[in-house]
Amino acid sequence: MELDIYQVDAFTFERFKGNPAGVCITEKGLDERLMLAIAAEMAVSETAFLSLSDFSLRWFTPQVEVSLCGHGTLSVAHILQETGRLAVGDEMGFNTLSGTLSVIAQHNRIAMAFPSPSLDFSVHINEVLFVYLGIQPQQVVSYCGFDGKWLIEVIDESIVLALAPNFEQLKQLPGRGVVVTAKRTTAKNDAVIAHHSVDKGADFISRYFAPWVGVNEDPVTGSAHCALAVYWQKKLNKTCLKGYQASQRGGFVDMEVLANEQVTLMGQAVTTLKGKIIL
């Protein structure tokens, strides 16, 4: 048996930037063990599987299934558009572990509606986590929890860019993922971030680490930007935001915080690979 397989760079308009995702679209759903094996073979942070019979959408890292994946959803919508199943102006819903997710194909990007996460500022973080991330406690502005993960704001974007976590030590702590963020500041740091091509329109930058699920650093994380949108909307008092995830590949995410407890993520994608996987 042969299946169509794609690799898509999401949240970018340039190849070899953004976050690569595997995409496998089939008429009927695949066995869970097979999906996990394909995800391990693709060896990117997530591979998305869409069943056209019931529009069930699932995402797998090389090690586990995840309940929400922004760049995987964007990549699936991009392939649906490329293959003629999704036209500009069309809206499509997917059945996922996080409920029904809808996407709308726009002229130059895809908009995706995701549930707005609750931020828990009462959560306590073991300061050893800061040590393993490479953050000094006095550099922390605030932190909170969301969906079993952590969000940490630090005082300066240069701290975010300089992080070099000890992933083996992080894995000794309980966890699922941690996003470190900072407000995008003025020209004082432009020289520091020049190699990341951060434009002056970005409201904040971030990096996301998830060694607990086999992804040491995720290039661009849609689900984390749902939490980041809620966090920075309250701090900056604006509902439309732009974030830059400052991984080695880097990528931009446009966000809008809606009144119906949803966050719209918007981005572009490019296909870098298409072929057949032989089973």
Side-chain angles (χ1 to χ4, degrees):
M1 182 171 70
E2 295 183 350
L3 299 176
D4 292 331
I5 196 80
Y6 304 87
Q7 186 162 308
V8 176
D9 289 344
F11 292 116
T12 182
F13 55 86
E14 297 180 74
R15 287 176 176 82
F16 317 126
K17 298 288 187 180
N19 200 352
V23 173
C24 186
I25 300 173
T26 56
E27 288 300 323
K28 294 184 179 180
L30 302 178
D31 178 80
E32 185 172 306
R33 289 175 296 179
L34 177 57
M35 288 188 282
L36 187 57
I38 292 172
E41 186 72 12
M42 291 298 289
V44 291
S45 56
E46 271 94 8
T47 297
F49 297 87
L50 176 66
S51 166
L52 294 175
S53 63
D54 58 2
F55 280 86
S56 171
L57 177 59
R58 299 174 71 176
W59 312 276
F60 290 80
T61 78
Q63 294 183 6
V64 298
E65 183 175 11
V66 296
S67 60
L68 185 65
C69 178
H71 84 282
T73 305
L74 174 58
S75 297
V76 165
H78 170 75
I79 293 299
L80 289 172
Q81 192 171 23
E82 277 202 338
T83 56
R85 296 184 178 99
L86 183 68
V88 172
D90 286 350
E91 181 174 358
M92 184 175 289
F94 302 125
N95 299 312
T96 80
L97 291 177
S98 294
T100 301
L101 303 181
S102 63
V103 301
I104 299 176
Q106 300 177 343
H107 287 288
N108 60 350
R109 63 185 183 180
I110 292 168
M112 305 170 288
F114 289 111
S116 175
S118 297
L119 305 185
D120 181 4
F121 288 90
S122 68
V123 68
H124 174 71
I125 288 184
N126 186 338
E127 288 196 358
V128 174
L129 177 70
F130 299 146
V131 175
Y132 293 167
L133 286 169
I135 299 172
Q136 301 296 321
Q138 63 269 25
Q139 295 174 327
V140 176
V141 176
S142 69
Y143 59 80
C144 59
F146 69 100
D147 298 335
K149 306 166 189 175
W150 297 292
L151 186 155
I152 302 169
E153 182 192 352
V154 293
I155 58 176
D156 193 274
E157 60 190 1
S158 60
I159 297 168
V160 178
L161 298 172
L163 291 176
N166 187 319
F167 296 114
E168 289 304 313
Q169 288 183 320
L170 282 174
K171 286 190 289 187
Q172 305 310 308
L173 300 174
R176 286 181 56 199
V178 55
V179 57
V180 184
T181 186
K183 183 179 178 181
R184 175 73 174 98
T185 53
T186 57
K188 71 171 185 174
N189 282 322
D190 281 350
V192 177
I193 65 170
H195 66 290
H196 284 278
S197 301
V198 183
D199 72 5
K200 294 180 180 179
D203 296 292
F204 61 86
I205 71 169
S206 66
R207 290 173 69 187
Y208 182 79
F209 309 106
W212 301 275
V213 296
V215 182
N216 282 346
E217 179 168 7
D218 197 36
V220 190
T221 315
S223 58
H225 275 82
C226 292
L228 287 163
V230 174
Y231 181 85
W232 285 109
Q233 182 265 330
K234 293 177 180 178
K235 294 207 71 168
L236 301 178
N237 194 29
K238 56 192 300 189
T239 56
C240 293
L241 301 129
K242 185 171 190 173
Y244 177 73
Q245 192 155 327
S247 64
Q248 185 175 6
R249 293 172 65 98
F252 293 95
V253 183
D254 290 303
M255 296 147 280
E256 183 177 4
V257 181
L258 305 178
N260 60 353
E261 297 187 345
Q262 286 192 318
V263 175
T264 298
L265 303 183
M266 293 154 282
Q268 299 168 304
V270 290
T271 303
T272 57
L273 181 152
K274 61 176 66 175
K276 302 282 186 181
I277 189 163
I278 302 169
L279 304 176

